[in-house]
Amino acid sequence: MARGPKKHLKRLNAPKHWMLSKMDGIWAPRPSQGPHKLRESLPLIVMLRNRLKYALTGKETNMICMNKHVLVDGKVRTDANFPAGFMDVIEIPKSGDQFRLIYDSKKRYVLHRISDEEKKFKLCKVKRQEINKKKVPVVVTHDGRTLRYPDPLVKVDDTIKVDIATGKILEFYRFEIGKLAMITRGRNTGRVGTITLVERHPGSFDIITMRDTAGQTFST
């Protein structure tokens, strides 16, 4: 009988978008508990060792993290298995690198280089909106942030621009026809397009029709 949480992850069961070779051993790094789900995240060890090639082994990756060289969303992360996810800002001051994690058109995470101005904020999707026990209105974002006293016009599925240093909401963008959107789940993950139609289905999944820059229309 299994007691407690799982501590291991086999390489064949690891998410395909990590692009680990199946011949490199039995095990894969299991992401720690964090702001993103296991199958929707990219651990720092995979990022530093397999993508950026800053380390050859897991031990070297641990040394880089334990020396406080890696920042995720402006905070030092010493855990090599920390799960970074969509829209997170990764900084390595020693090498002068700063990236934002976004999807490419094949559902894989890409480390997109960003400027000093762009690393100060991130975009978060509103997943939940409620009034807590102390009668304070809050919104919960896709990366686990709980933000108090948002603009009363902010609704679920809208996008908010968050200042990384202060954690405050700078502005928000409505989820409506004519807006540009990126798909983060399912078969069309990574595709970017303009919303052309929103079909509401109460009790089921809403269907959104989008058009990309090539003029192709797709529903998701």
Side-chain angles (χ1 to χ4, degrees):
M1 220 169 99
R3 292 195 298 190
K6 288 190 171 73
K7 304 253 177 108
H8 297 75
L9 179 66
K10 291 213 170 172
R11 192 150 287 219
L12 290 179
N13 295 337
K16 291 285 176 281
H17 65 80
W18 291 4
M19 297 187 292
L20 301 176
S21 165
K22 63 181 179 182
M23 303 304 286
D24 281 351
I26 297 171
W27 305 104
R30 184 183 182 87
S32 307
Q33 306 296 312
H36 298 277
K37 295 180 179 179
L38 184 146
R39 306 203 75 82
E40 294 170 14
S41 65
L42 189 70
L44 297 183
I45 186 168
V46 174
M47 206 182 299
L48 294 169
R49 182 180 62 184
N50 300 49
R51 299 289 173 88
L52 296 172
K53 303 283 194 288
Y54 282 161
L56 293 174
T57 61
K59 193 172 182 181
E60 287 178 13
T61 314
N62 274 323
M63 289 167 76
I64 292 171
C65 291
M66 291 305 288
N67 282 320
K68 301 184 178 180
H69 290 319
V70 184
L71 285 78
V72 180
D73 286 346
K75 289 186 178 175
V76 172
R77 298 294 178 187
T78 55
D79 178 13
N81 292 327
F82 181 82
F86 184 61
M87 279 289 164
D88 283 1
V89 175
I90 316 294
E91 283 180 78
I92 308 172
K94 220 35 184 288
S95 63
D97 287 328
Q98 45 210 27
F99 307 99
R100 192 183 297 283
L101 267 186
I102 53 174
Y103 290 107
D104 68 0
S105 58
K106 293 193 174 177
K107 310 179 191 176
R108 300 174 301 208
Y109 272 124
V110 170
L111 290 160
H112 174 68
R113 285 188 187 275
I114 54 175
S115 64
D116 286 341
E117 202 55 45
E118 215 181 323
K119 75 173 185 182
K120 293 176 183 173
F121 68 87
K122 71 181 291 191
L123 299 177
C124 299
K125 179 181 174 178
V126 176
K127 298 291 258 186
R128 212 168 72 227
Q129 183 187 29
E130 60 191 19
I131 294 175
N132 66 15
K133 286 180 181 175
K134 294 186 178 178
K135 302 291 184 286
V136 175
V138 296
V139 292
V140 180
T141 62
H142 79 278
D143 60 347
R145 292 168 188 263
T146 302
L147 303 166
R148 293 156 55 96
Y149 299 110
D151 189 305
L153 297 174
V154 174
K155 297 285 180 276
V156 173
D157 288 336
D158 288 354
T159 299
I160 54 178
K161 184 176 176 182
V162 176
D163 186 312
I164 286 176
T166 61
K168 297 277 193 299
I169 299 174
L170 299 174
E171 51 186 312
F172 71 97
Y173 310 97
R174 299 301 305 270
F175 181 77
E176 59 192 8
I177 291 171
K179 293 291 171 73
L180 197 67
M182 181 184 241
I183 297 171
T184 57
R185 267 185 179 181
R187 185 180 289 178
N188 291 312
T189 298
R191 291 184 77 174
V192 177
T194 306
I195 300 170
T196 57
L197 181 67
V198 178
E199 290 177 41
R200 298 285 180 193
H201 296 284
S204 183
F205 295 108
D206 297 343
I207 293 178
I208 314 298
T209 306
M210 297 171 67
R211 182 182 290 114
D212 61 16
T213 48
Q216 287 187 320
T217 304
F218 57 96
S219 295
T220 185

